[in-house]
Amino acid sequence: MAFAVTPLPYDKDALSPAISAETLSYHHGKHHQAYIDKTNKAIEGTELADQPLEKVIASARKTDQGLFNNAAQSWNHGFYWNSLASESGHPTDELKSMIDSAFGSLDDLKAKLKERGAGHFASGWVWLAEKGGKLTIEETHDGDTLADLDANPLLVIDLWEHAYYLDHQNKRPEYLDEVVENKLNWGFAADNLQRGTTWVYPA
Ligand code: FE2
């Protein structure tokens, strides 16, 4: 099957000022689209053409770095759009209690996400994930993903410069502060936790 860019679950200006409509136009319309186009081109006519994106990623991880990068970036961006919301909402009681036991409090988790995201060298992703019944913060470099690994991702934040440069220039901490405080979709995180299995990229 050919994959498509996942639609944004909000209006393009819904994340402003953390992320502007202009940034979303490029990031969603050009960057994500390019990763999807390259993935589709690479799998066309191969045995991976009928597989879900998670299978493409798992198969390419050790055998085809180019396909892996594009397929993983396709997945990560679909997951990222859903990790954001115009209004953050609140973690469910179950999620809140796991946050408290892993990090102390929601504010402590937010501080840790900002610290890990700001400290991450060069491009990549910072994740909140559930692993073996506990919450953890994970980082992946460049296009790497948790989609096919032994962890259930709950939320992700894009740390590539294309995610924030138009709005915040080189000030990644400012972008992280606005996203983590105001735009993380705690309802999506709770849904992922409750399902207990990794989110599936829409076919
Ligand atoms: Fe990105």
Side-chain angles (χ1 to χ4, degrees):
M1 81 190 84
F3 297 105
V5 168
T6 43
L8 289 177
Y10 32 72
D11 292 338
K12 277 211 177 105
D13 59 0
L15 305 179
S16 178
I19 300 169
S20 67
E22 187 184 17
T23 289
L24 278 183
S25 290
Y26 283 105
H27 198 179
H28 180 259
K30 305 284 186 195
H31 289 277
H32 192 186
Q33 186 69 58
Y35 295 127
I36 289 285
D37 290 346
K38 287 175 186 168
T39 300
N40 284 336
K41 193 167 174 213
I43 61 175
E44 192 179 2
T46 76
E47 61 186 13
L48 290 175
D50 295 327
Q51 296 295 317
L53 188 55
E54 295 76 17
K55 286 273 164 50
V56 174
I57 292 167
S59 162
R61 179 177 282 279
K62 290 200 170 107
T63 59
D64 186 339
Q65 190 66 42
L67 173 57
F68 174 78
N69 286 341
N70 284 298
Q73 282 292 77
S74 295
W75 195 96
N76 288 354
H77 283 87
F79 193 77
Y80 173 59
W81 309 132
N82 284 283
S83 294
L84 304 172
S86 57
E87 302 282 341
S88 272
H90 302 284
T92 54
D93 289 347
E94 182 194 17
L95 177 56
K96 178 70 169 61
S97 115
M98 289 178 75
I99 289 171
D100 290 348
S101 73
F103 304 102
S105 69
L106 181 58
D107 281 344
D108 289 323
L109 164 60
K110 288 177 175 176
K112 232 6 174 204
L113 275 173
K114 289 189 257 186
E115 183 188 317
R116 293 282 295 273
H120 182 94
F121 182 73
S123 297
W125 302 82
V126 63
W127 309 75
L128 176 65
E130 180 266 314
K131 234 178 176 175
K134 288 188 176 169
L135 296 190
T136 168
I137 293 175
E138 302 287 321
E139 295 171 46
T140 58
H141 286 279
D142 302 319
D144 204 357
T145 185
L146 297 185
D148 60 323
L149 299 182
D150 187 21
N152 181 16
L154 306 187
L155 292 174
V156 76
I157 304 172
D158 192 337
L159 302 174
W160 288 57
E161 281 190 345
H162 65 225
Y164 58 87
Y165 209 86
L166 284 175
D167 303 321
H168 304 280
Q169 295 74 52
N170 61 335
K171 299 187 284 287
R172 187 194 286 172
E174 182 182 281
Y175 154 74
L176 285 167
D177 190 49
E178 293 186 16
V179 166
V180 169
E181 293 297 336
N182 304 314
K183 302 296 177 190
L184 285 182
N185 187 344
W186 293 109
F188 181 62
D191 289 347
N192 291 327
L193 179 66
Q194 195 174 30
R195 191 180 52 251
T197 54
T198 299
W199 180 82
V200 173
Y201 194 92

